[in-house]
């Protein structure tokens, strides 16, 4: 397919990962989760806003019994002991002894997921793993073991398929990368 270029605010973006590839990768991820979580009735925790499209397309293809809940993270809070940590909002489920799978749009530095995992582990789940649509391995600043990654990407700013640039671009079906 020919690359398409769009303008969001002051930046130009061009098509990078087409919907067909995204869906093909999500199908593979769903098959893997079906196998590895059979009989475990996992609880998916989707982190809003960015993961809404990924969550919908993934869960339509997961066939084992499972639950899904949506959480948000507060804007940064300052804490003396741990540095800057985002507080988990909207987690009403009791996750003790549950098999939890966090659904993220993108893991960049890993600060967000690192803080989230710390808070979830305090609630004693049976297990907790992360499934992310995109991972920027070169940007990771924490020794995170992200078990499920639909696609690793280089350190480029991307939008579309749930990801935004200052509020715009979440509705795009394909993923675009910034034109420097
Ligand atoms: P981290 O805490 O540095 O891993 O960043 C995670 C969050 O930053 C993601 O959930 C996104 O909201 C945002 N983010 C990081 N990289 C990008 C990008 O390339 N495009 C859009 N949002 C991004």
């Amino acid at each position: 397919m020919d690359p398409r270029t769009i303008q969001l605010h002051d930046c130009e973006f061009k098509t990078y990962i087409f919907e067909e590839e995204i869906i093909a990768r999500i199908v593979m991820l769903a098959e893997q989760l079906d196998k590895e979580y059979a009989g475990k009735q996992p609880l998916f925790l989707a982190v809003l806003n960015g993961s809404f499209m990924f969550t919908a397309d993934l869960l339509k293809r997961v066939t084992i019994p499972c639950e899904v809940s949506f959480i948000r993270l507060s804007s940064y809070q300052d804490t003396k002991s741990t540095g800057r940590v985002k507080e988990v909002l909207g987690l009403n489920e009791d996750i003790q002894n549950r098999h939890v799978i966090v659904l993220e749009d993108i893991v960049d530095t890993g600060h967000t997921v690192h803080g989230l995992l710390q808070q979830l582990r305090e609630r004693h789940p049976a297990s907790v793993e992360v499934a992310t649509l995109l991972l920027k391995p070169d940007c990771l600043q924490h020794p995170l073991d992200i078990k499920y990654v639909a696609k690793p990407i280089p350190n480029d700013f991307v939008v579309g398929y749930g990801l935004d640039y200052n509020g715009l671009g979440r509705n795009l079906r394909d993923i675009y990368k910034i034109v420097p």
Side-chain angles (χ1 to χ4, degrees):
M1 260 180 276
D2 289 336
R4 261 178 293 123
T5 303
I6 55 165
Q7 178 88 22
L8 299 175
H9 299 294
D10 54 339
C11 288
E12 212 184 350
F13 294 84
K14 69 169 187 246
T15 40
Y16 175 42
I17 311 168
F18 286 97
E19 188 182 21
E20 291 73 11
E21 180 182 348
I22 299 170
I23 298 298
R25 287 176 179 273
I26 287 176
V27 167
M28 287 193 288
L29 203 52
E31 285 170 359
Q32 194 183 353
L33 292 167
D34 268 354
K35 282 198 196 106
E36 294 181 14
Y37 284 87
K40 292 185 171 170
Q41 201 164 309
L43 169 65
F44 289 95
L45 288 183
V47 183
L48 292 172
N49 292 325
S51 73
F52 75 99
M53 277 203 200
F54 173 49
T55 300
D57 281 330
L58 179 71
L59 291 195
K60 280 188 276 182
R61 291 164 178 91
V62 167
T63 62
I64 55 168
C66 63
E67 291 172 51
V68 59
S69 191
F70 294 85
I71 58 172
R72 269 178 173 283
L73 299 171
S74 66
S75 39
Y76 279 114
Q77 285 187 312
D78 278 317
T79 64
K80 285 186 195 118
S81 55
T82 56
R84 282 145 66 87
V85 170
K86 290 178 175 180
E87 186 196 354
V88 180
L89 305 174
L91 178 54
N92 302 319
E93 280 72 16
D94 181 4
I95 65 166
Q96 188 166 359
N97 298 325
R98 297 294 311 270
H99 293 281
V100 173
I101 304 163
V102 172
L103 298 182
E104 266 285 11
D105 52 356
I106 189 164
V107 178
D108 186 325
T109 63
H111 289 321
T112 308
V113 163
H114 177 73
L116 175 57
L117 289 177
Q118 275 184 340
Q119 293 178 66
L120 293 178
R121 287 189 178 122
E122 284 167 10
R123 298 175 186 229
H124 307 294
S127 68
V128 54
E129 297 291 350
V130 177
T132 185
L133 176 69
L134 302 173
L135 170 71
K136 295 182 186 172
D138 297 342
C139 300
L140 267 183
Q141 292 181 25
H142 295 270
L144 288 175
D145 180 19
I146 311 263
K147 192 163 178 190
Y148 304 102
V149 179
K151 187 171 170 87
I153 61 166
N155 182 14
D156 293 312
F157 190 80
V158 292
V159 294
Y161 198 76
L163 291 145
D164 76 309
Y165 170 49
N166 285 346
L168 295 181
R170 291 195 198 277
N171 57 314
L172 299 165
R173 315 173 71 100
D174 305 304
I175 292 173
Y176 292 68
K177 80 173 169 188
I178 199 158
V179 179

